[in-house]
Amino acid sequence: MSELVTGEAVALELRPARLPSRALATLLDLVVAFVVYIVVSIALVASTASLDEAARIALSIATFLLVLVGGPIAVETLSHGRSLGKMACGLRVVRDDGGPIRFRHALVRGAIGVVEILLTIGVVACIASLVSARGRRLGDVFAGTLVVRERVPAGRSGFLPPPPPWLAGRFQGLDLSAVPDGLWLAIRQYLGRMSQLDPQVGWAMAERLAGDLAARTGAPVPPGVPPAAYLAAVVQERQVREARRAFGSRPVAGWPVGEGGGGVVRAAAGNHGPPTSYSPPASYGPSAPSGVVPGDGSAGDRSEGSGTGFVPPA
């Protein structure tokens, strides 16, 4: 995939956490982990007094690995990147493209964290975080993750425009497994910045991104669907699947019920075309030229989804 958006645009959607907040979160996590480790060790010493020296040493090593290494990995996996320290500091571990982490990401971060945090008292992690432009330690680099701030003013966070309502649920059967994270990030950056771009340049970028996405999914862009609207609809479908994987059938705040990202994370199946009663608000769509009757299929009637900002350039 060609590079369409520079790396500086990452800050529009993901606000990387800096060293002070990350160090505080890590310190809180270590305090909790060491308290649990001491309690478990005391309990093991009391219950294994009859064992020989070698068995006690083996149990001590197993306890160390289980509590101080396996514990943080399990917590980050089950909480999707939010340990106790990160929750207290308003931080979260996400993938490079902004999606929730999985077990393999937490495993790589935890395994490398043994060296750069535990064995070196955090010196290596601090140096790596200071050198990195986005404050990433070595575990984040190898795992493909990023620690971001969750508690930011709503007006400063990135905004992705929703797709037109008549595209809701249209791409439920699309295979998204072959789409790389870099392409997802480029699409999200484009959608977050398309209002700042020249219309012709933005249209060309949307066509290129839509072509790349269609090539990865194996399904062409549906005829008559603007490329920007297609990108937004597919991104929303991916968010629905991520939310379904993370939350199951629980309601997801911020998504309307029954429109692709619904409160129970599902969309109405089979309704793949624009509803006959749908029309964008009059204040959002361009005024129809004189002599053109809206809805008659003529050239002047091309305002579908104009309320969402997805209108082909003239």
Side-chain angles (χ1 to χ4, degrees):
M1 183 197 68
S2 57
E3 294 294 329
L4 299 178
V5 185
T6 60
E8 288 79 5
V10 175
L12 293 176
E13 293 191 8
L14 302 178
R15 300 188 62 84
R18 296 305 176 186
L19 181 58
S21 58
R22 293 194 60 178
L24 179 59
T26 302
L27 181 60
L28 293 175
D29 288 335
L30 288 177
V31 168
V32 174
F34 273 108
V35 169
V36 174
Y37 174 69
I38 292 173
V39 172
V40 173
S41 298
I42 293 175
L44 284 177
V45 169
S47 60
T48 59
S50 59
L51 297 179
D52 57 12
E53 186 70 17
R56 287 199 297 269
I57 293 176
L59 281 176
S60 299
I61 296 175
T63 303
F64 175 85
L65 294 176
L66 180 63
V67 176
L68 296 182
V69 181
I73 293 175
V75 170
E76 284 196 353
T77 302
L78 296 176
S79 64
H80 301 285
R82 298 185 70 194
S83 62
L84 294 177
K86 290 182 177 63
M87 283 191 287
C89 296
L91 307 181
R92 189 187 193 103
V93 182
V94 298
R95 299 195 307 258
D96 278 338
D97 66 333
I101 65 171
R102 300 189 179 93
F103 172 73
R104 61 184 178 88
H105 303 99
L107 178 62
V108 173
R109 294 184 80 254
I112 298 179
V114 173
V115 177
E116 62 174 336
I117 295 179
L118 295 180
L119 299 184
T120 62
I121 322 177
V123 174
V124 174
C126 289
I127 295 175
S129 183
L130 289 173
V131 171
S132 173
R134 294 193 287 172
R136 303 202 300 175
R137 63 178 178 87
L138 295 180
D140 293 314
V141 174
F142 285 101
T145 57
L146 178 68
V147 179
V148 298
R149 295 166 52 194
E150 287 192 309
R151 298 172 189 167
V152 294
R156 298 176 60 186
S157 60
F159 170 74
L160 296 183
W166 49 268
L167 282 180
R170 184 164 185 172
F171 302 105
Q172 284 182 319
L174 210 60
D175 182 13
L176 306 179
S177 59
V179 182
D181 290 344
L183 179 55
W184 286 123
L185 181 59
I187 293 173
R188 288 177 59 86
Q189 290 173 346
Y190 164 74
L191 292 175
R193 301 183 64 192
M194 68 178 184
S195 60
Q196 306 171 15
L197 302 174
D198 177 80
Q200 298 293 339
V201 174
W203 184 265
M205 291 179 64
E207 286 184 329
R208 292 169 61 187
L209 285 170
D212 287 343
L213 184 59
R216 295 287 186 172
T217 60
V221 181
V225 176
Y230 166 75
L231 294 174
V234 176
V235 167
Q236 185 189 64
E237 174 61 29
R238 185 190 184 224
Q239 292 174 339
V240 170
R241 297 183 187 182
E242 294 284 0
R244 184 184 297 117
R245 185 180 298 112
F247 303 106
S249 61
R250 286 182 292 165
V252 180
W255 285 345
V257 175
E259 292 189 1
V264 291
V265 199
R266 67 172 180 266
N271 187 14
H272 296 333
T276 56
S277 61
Y278 169 72
S279 60
S283 59
Y284 292 166
S287 56
S290 58
V292 177
V293 179
D296 64 352
S298 60
D301 185 28
R302 293 181 182 176
S303 61
E304 76 270 3
S306 57
T308 62
F310 300 113
V311 182

